[in-house]
């Protein structure tokens, strides 16, 4: 019978770990090379992903958005203060899977978790929404609010950079006080037209047009919201991409009577470790509007391909 000394066991375990790590790394490298070779269209996007997943690959995005406001624009486009602060934290897990051999059709699922807080002090910190302070608190809610069923596809084979994404959102509750306060208590259908384009070797443009229909329920009538956003990225190197955005959003009722309008700008930074792993962060601010709150947003997104 052979007895191994403790040092020998440690050396053996170390060798096994090294060999296993090298094997896994080689497999990951091989899978990434296959992924890169199968990609359809350009690969860089700073916000809403329009990257089509090849068959058997899965994209996972964790999006975290902190929104806050203590002022609003009147119907005369005058900015006035609100006597309170509203802050929300939206956490969304988005999973997209490639199912077609051509790479032109993906299916996905979106899971939304929201936290909201209303404070009596308009100058209170928006970060209170992620804490448990009772100071100045008027209302606080948090809930797993909805699930979205999504399809992402390239409608025209000759233009791989133009992508359409449709999402049908199903609320977990249409009448609970938390979902109502968190603004996610209605069935909704969103169509997104996404287009990305490289200008030369350094400038990357990304355009997004949404048509979001939130359907009538016992608490609100049907609304149609249509934001338009344009992102411009500068490729400092193969990993680091600062970007800026400008956007406009309009809101109508079911009779297409105009309800509100807002204009936003933003700046951000994206770091792409590889084509399969990316982190981005950006800040956006509504700088003008009509009958709308002045929301400020702080965004952090993590994207990985499995």
């Amino acid at each position: 019978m052979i007895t191994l000394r403790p040092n020998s066991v440690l050396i053996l375990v170390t060798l096994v770990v090294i060999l296993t790590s090298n094997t896994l790394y080689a497999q990951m490298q091989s899978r990434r090379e296959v992924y890169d070779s199968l990609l359809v269209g350009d690969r860089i996007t700073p916000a809403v992903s329009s990257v089509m997943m090849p068959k058997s690959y899965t994209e996972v995005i964790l999006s975290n958005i902190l929104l806050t406001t203590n002022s609003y624009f009147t119907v005369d486009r005058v900015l006035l203060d609100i006597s309170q602060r509203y802050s929300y934290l939206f956490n969304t897990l988005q999973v997209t899977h490639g199912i077609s051999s051509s790479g032109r059709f993906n299916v996905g699922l979106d899971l939304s978790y929201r936290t909201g807080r209303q404070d009596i002090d308009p100058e209170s910190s928006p970060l209170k929404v992620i804490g448990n302070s009772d100071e100045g608190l008027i209302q606080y809610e948090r809930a797993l609010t909805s699930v979205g069923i999504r399809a992402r596809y390239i409608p025209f084979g000759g233009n791989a950079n133009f992508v359409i994404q449709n999402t049908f959102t199903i609320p977990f509750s249409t009448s609970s006080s938390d979902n109502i306060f968190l603004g996610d208590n209605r069935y909704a259908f969103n169509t997104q037209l996404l287009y990305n384009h490289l200008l030369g070797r350094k400038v990357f443009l990304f355009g997004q047009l949404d048509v979001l229909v939130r359907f009538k329920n016992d608490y609100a009538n049907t609304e149609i919201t249509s934001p338009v956003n344009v992102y411009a990225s500068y490729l400092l190197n193969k990993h680091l991409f600062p970007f800026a955005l400008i956007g406009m959003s309009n809101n109508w009722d079911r009779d297409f009577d105009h309800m509100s309008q807002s204009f936003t700008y933003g700046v951000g930074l994206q770091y792409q470790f590889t084509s399969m792993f990316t982190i981005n962060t950006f800040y956006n601010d509504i700088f003008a509007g009509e009958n709308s709150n002045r929301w400020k947003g702080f965004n952090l997104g993590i994207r990985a391909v499995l």
Side-chain angles (χ1 to χ4, degrees), residues 11-77:
I11 292 172
L12 182 60
V13 171
T14 302
L15 288 174
V16 171
V17 170
I18 291 174
L19 291 173
T20 303
S21 299
N22 287 338
T23 301
L24 290 175
Y25 180 76
Q27 291 175 348
M28 291 174 61
Q29 285 290 96
S30 175
R31 186 167 172 79
R32 183 163 68 86
E33 290 172 2
V34 173
Y35 170 76
D36 289 345
S37 69
L38 293 174
L39 280 177
V40 178
D42 294 328
R43 311 169 188 174
I44 308 165
T45 177
V48 178
S49 178
S50 62
V51 179
M52 299 300 302
M53 290 296 99
K55 187 175 182 179
S56 81
Y57 285 83
T58 301
E59 176 189 66
V60 179
I61 295 177
L62 179 60
S63 173
N64 308 279
I65 304 174
L66 174 62
L67 292 171
T68 187
T69 184
N70 60 2
S71 57
Y72 74 102
F73 293 96
T74 68
V75 292
D76 298 318
R77 301 180 181 272

Side-chain angles (χ1 to χ4, degrees), residues 125-172:
S125 171
L127 295 178
K128 281 186 174 182
V129 75
I130 58 177
N132 56 5
S133 172
D134 291 333
E135 182 183 359
L137 178 64
I138 297 176
Q139 186 173 0
Y140 178 87
E141 304 288 352
R142 59 182 178 180
L144 189 63
T145 55
S146 65
V147 61
I149 302 169
R150 184 165 37 80
R152 182 188 297 171
Y153 52 94
I154 297 175
F156 310 114
N159 190 352
N161 286 345
F162 176 56
V163 173
I164 296 178
Q165 190 162 253
N166 299 118
T167 307
F168 180 62
T169 300
I170 304 168
F172 289 119

Side-chain angles (χ1 to χ4, degrees), residues 75-86:
V75 292
D76 298 318
R77 301 180 181 272
V78 177
L79 181 64
L80 297 178
D81 291 333
I82 301 175
S83 60
Q84 301 164 357
R85 177 178 291 279
Y86 293 85

Side-chain angles (χ1 to χ4, degrees), residues 191-249:
T191 297
Q192 295 176 303
L193 307 181
L194 310 170
Y195 186 79
N196 57 78
H197 184 66
L198 278 170
L199 293 178
R201 300 178 61 184
K202 289 290 185 180
V203 179
F204 177 83
L205 297 179
F206 176 75
Q208 171 194 350
L209 169 63
D210 288 27
V211 179
L212 170 64
V213 181
R214 302 179 69 205
F215 298 105
K216 178 181 178 180
N217 64 8
D218 293 337
Y219 303 91
N221 290 320
T222 299
E223 293 180 19
I224 303 169
T225 303
S226 182
V228 181
N229 296 297
V230 177
Y231 300 79
S233 298
Y234 182 76
L235 312 185
L236 285 178
N237 53 49
K238 65 179 181 179
H239 297 293
L240 192 61
F241 318 136
F243 62 90
L245 69 97
I246 189 75
M248 175 184 70
S249 181

Side-chain angles (χ1 to χ4, degrees), residues 85-135:
R85 177 178 291 279
Y86 293 85
S87 300
Y88 294 91
L89 180 63
F90 295 166
N91 306 110
T92 304
L93 177 64
Q94 185 181 79
V95 180
T96 306
H97 186 70
I99 61 172
S100 65
S101 56
S102 66
R104 289 179 54 187
F105 191 82
N106 294 174
V107 294
L109 203 66
D110 301 346
L111 198 60
S112 179
Y113 184 87
R114 295 187 176 190
T115 306
R117 180 183 174 105
Q118 180 185 2
D119 279 283
I120 195 169
D121 181 7
E123 301 303 320
S124 62
S125 171
L127 295 178
K128 281 186 174 182
V129 75
I130 58 177
N132 56 5
S133 172
D134 291 333
E135 182 183 359

